[in-house]
Each structure stands twice: as C-alpha cells, then as structure tokens.
C-alpha cells in the first residue's frame, strides 16, 4: 500500500465493531451457556436446540458484518477473494453447526468433554474407531480480517490513535478471540495471522505509514488475545487430565473441557 493510497483514512467504525463484539459474545460464547440455562423440555433432542438457533443467527449475522466491514475499507480489496472467503466461511460454520448439535446430544447421553474422543465410554462402542470432531473452517474468517487490516494504514501520525470507545471494546474483543482460539483449537492459525499482521506493520512503518484507529483496534485485540492464551496455558500447564487430552507440543486446553472437569463435575 502506497502513501497516496492511504489518504482516505476511515474513521473508527464504532457501530460495526460494537455489533461484531456483541454478537460474538451472545451468539458464540453465550450459545453453550444458553443450552445449560434453558430447560431441556423446551427443546427436545429430536428438535433444534436453543444452541442451534443461536448458531443459525451467528452464521447469518457474522458474514453480513464482515461484508459491511469490507465495504468501509479505505482500500479497494479483491472482491472475488472476499466472496469466496465468505462462502467458504459459511460452509464451514454450517458444518460446525451440525457438529455442535450432535455434540449437544452426546453431552446429554453421557459424553465427557474433558476426555478425549477415544476415551469416552459412550464413544468406545461406536464404529469406526477413528471418529473425529467436525472440521472448523476459520481460515476464511482470519483471511478476511487480515485483508481488511492491510488497508488500515495512514500517512498521518496524528491519525494513528484510538478513541476512548475503541479502548473500551479492546478488552471484550480480545477476550472473545481468546475463547475462539482456545475452544476452536486454532492457535496455529491465529499465531500465523498475528505474526503476518506484525510483519505488515513493520513493513509499512518503513514507508512512513501508520495504523489507523481500526487497524490499532484489531492489532491490540489480537495482542491481548495472545497474552490471555499464554496466561491460560501457563495456569493449566501441569493439569494431568487436560495434558492427557491435549498431548504434543501445542498445548491449549479448551475452556469447556476445563468446565466439565473442574466445575460441573463438582456439582
């Protein structure tokens, strides 16, 4: 991005970032909570659950907000890649919806989330034995955010600042991405995206281009996410049960696995 292309710096999109953060917390993070709160009799297992309805709304609202965010980018982005990414994201989110719906029914049938798939008593009798969790296609989601981020630069140092409202949104935004990274088990994808953002910032800085308020909001949100993930891993580093479920070099426990192991099992 050249300096003359960055003259049309966009103001901070308070409305979009607020709606984006709100719907992430309510429809994604709040989905399993709603499934615990609402009585099972209201949503029998042969009908869509309250979590399914939350997921359906998420699959509609998130792509819409991403498209509105791209529309406000001061830089013209390749439309074909945007459309393909949105379509792929919706397809992956729909697969995820089915997987979560099945997982919800397994939980009421005795599935223990803090154990691996192979070690769950209810799964041991299923065939084939190589049963795995459904894939979660978050690559298009982070690709769209990174493409938007690539246009968030300004040649004016004075415009490289965040309003107070943006600073207030950084904490809930970063906390949600922590949940997305840990529960979705997408740490490698997230860390590659963050390093790509950092490399782009350093590259543009040599051209005397600086992040605008929207770019700073995304960058600080991701930086806070990385800090929270590091603290989360350090806190549960020596947990023997979670260590067994998440072997290997990349050890990032899921929050709901921690909940079923240390919270719900005590009641």
């Amino acid at each position: 991005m050249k300096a003359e292309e960055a003259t049309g710096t966009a103001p901070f999109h308070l409305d979009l970032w607020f709606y984006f953060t709100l719907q992430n917390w309510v429809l994604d993070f709040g989905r399993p909570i709603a499934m615990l709160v609402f009585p099972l009799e209201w949503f029998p297992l042969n009908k869509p659950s309250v979590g399914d309805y939350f997921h359906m709304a998420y699959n509609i609202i998130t792509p819409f907000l991403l498209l509105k965010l791209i529309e406000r980018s001061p830089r013209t982005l390749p439309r074909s890649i945007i459309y393909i990414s949105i379509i792929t994201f919706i397809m992956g989110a729909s697969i995820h919806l089915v997987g979560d719906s099945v997982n919800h029914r397994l939980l009421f049938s005795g599935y223990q989330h803090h154990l691996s798939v192979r070690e769950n008593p209810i799964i041991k009798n299923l065939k084939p034995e190589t049963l795995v969790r459904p894939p979660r296609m978050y690559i298009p989601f982070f690709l769209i955010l990174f493409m938007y981020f690539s246009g968030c630069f300004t040649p004016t140092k004075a415009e490289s600042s965040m309003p107070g409202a943006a600073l207030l949104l950084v904490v809930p935004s970063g906390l949600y991405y922590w949940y997305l990274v840990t529960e979705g088990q997408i740490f490698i994808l997230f860390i590659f995206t963050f390093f790509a953002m950092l490399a782009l910032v350093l590259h543009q800085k040599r051209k005397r281009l600086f992040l605008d308020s929207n770019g700073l909001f995304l960058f600080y949100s991701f930086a806070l996410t990385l800090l929270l993930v590091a603290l989360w891993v350090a806190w549960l580093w020596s947990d023997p049960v979670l260590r067994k479920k998440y072997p290997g070099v990349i050890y990032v426990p899921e929050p709901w696995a921690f909940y079923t192991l240390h919270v719900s099992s005590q009641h």
Side-chain angles (χ1 to χ4, degrees):
M1 187 179 183
K2 299 180 181 178
E4 57 268 20
E5 292 179 309
T7 54
T9 303
F12 183 70
H13 308 312
L14 177 60
D15 55 342
L16 284 182
W17 290 122
F18 174 77
Y19 296 143
F20 199 73
T21 304
L22 179 64
Q23 70 96 27
N24 283 337
W25 272 94
V26 174
L27 299 178
D28 195 5
F29 180 79
R31 182 176 67 249
I33 298 177
M35 293 165 63
L36 294 174
V37 171
F38 283 88
L40 183 61
E41 303 80 47
W42 293 7
F43 303 93
L45 295 181
N46 63 337
K47 304 291 183 180
S49 68
V50 61
D52 294 337
Y53 290 114
F54 273 47
H55 215 316
M56 293 175 194
Y58 177 87
N59 289 4
I60 296 173
I61 297 175
T62 300
F64 175 77
L65 291 177
L66 287 174
L67 286 173
K68 298 301 291 184
L69 188 65
I70 291 298
E71 287 178 2
R72 297 192 189 181
S73 174
R75 180 187 181 189
T76 302
L77 301 174
R79 296 296 176 180
S80 297
I81 298 179
I82 295 297
Y83 294 151
I84 292 174
S85 298
I86 290 290
I87 293 170
T88 307
F89 171 76
I90 295 174
M91 179 181 68
S94 300
I95 297 174
H96 191 190
L97 187 157
V98 176
D100 276 354
S101 183
V102 173
N103 185 61
H104 169 66
R105 285 152 178 78
L106 287 175
L107 288 174
F108 282 100
S109 301
Y111 185 85
Q112 301 178 49
H113 194 61
H114 60 276
L115 298 177
S116 66
V117 174
R118 290 179 178 272
E119 294 178 338
N120 263 271
I122 193 176
I123 299 297
K124 288 183 177 180
N125 296 327
L126 294 181
K127 301 297 180 179
E129 295 181 355
T130 55
L131 181 66
V132 296
R133 300 180 63 183
R136 304 185 178 188
M137 300 182 184
Y138 285 112
I139 294 178
F141 178 81
F142 283 96
L143 176 61
I144 292 172
L145 288 182
F146 178 76
M147 292 177 64
Y148 172 79
F149 180 81
S150 67
C152 296
F153 288 88
T154 174
T156 307
K157 180 67 174 178
E159 295 179 355
S160 182
S161 61
M162 294 174 60
L167 292 173
L168 293 177
L169 281 178
V170 165
V171 174
S173 177
L175 189 58
Y176 167 74
Y177 286 124
W178 161 83
Y179 171 77
L180 184 68
V181 170
T182 54
E183 188 67 25
Q185 294 292 283
I186 54 171
F187 177 76
I188 295 180
L189 173 60
F190 165 76
I191 199 66
F192 271 111
T193 304
F194 180 74
F195 283 156
M197 293 167 64
L198 180 60
L200 182 60
V201 169
L202 296 177
H203 175 71
Q204 297 290 55
K205 189 175 182 180
R206 290 197 293 267
K207 298 181 180 180
R208 298 183 180 277
L209 293 175
F210 310 93
L211 281 174
D212 64 12
S213 58
N214 295 286
L216 287 172
F217 174 77
L218 263 178
F219 187 79
Y220 288 156
S221 295
F222 275 40
L224 177 59
T225 299
L226 183 60
L227 174 62
L228 293 174
V229 171
L231 293 175
W232 173 256
V233 171
W235 181 39
L236 299 175
W237 186 260
S238 301
D239 191 297
V241 178
L242 295 178
R243 264 290 181 181
K244 187 176 181 181
K245 181 180 180 181
Y246 305 98
V249 179
I250 306 298
Y251 170 68
V252 182
E254 298 172 68
W256 284 106
F258 171 82
Y259 173 82
T260 59
L261 175 62
H262 295 292
V263 180
S264 64
S265 61
Q266 297 179 4
H267 299 282

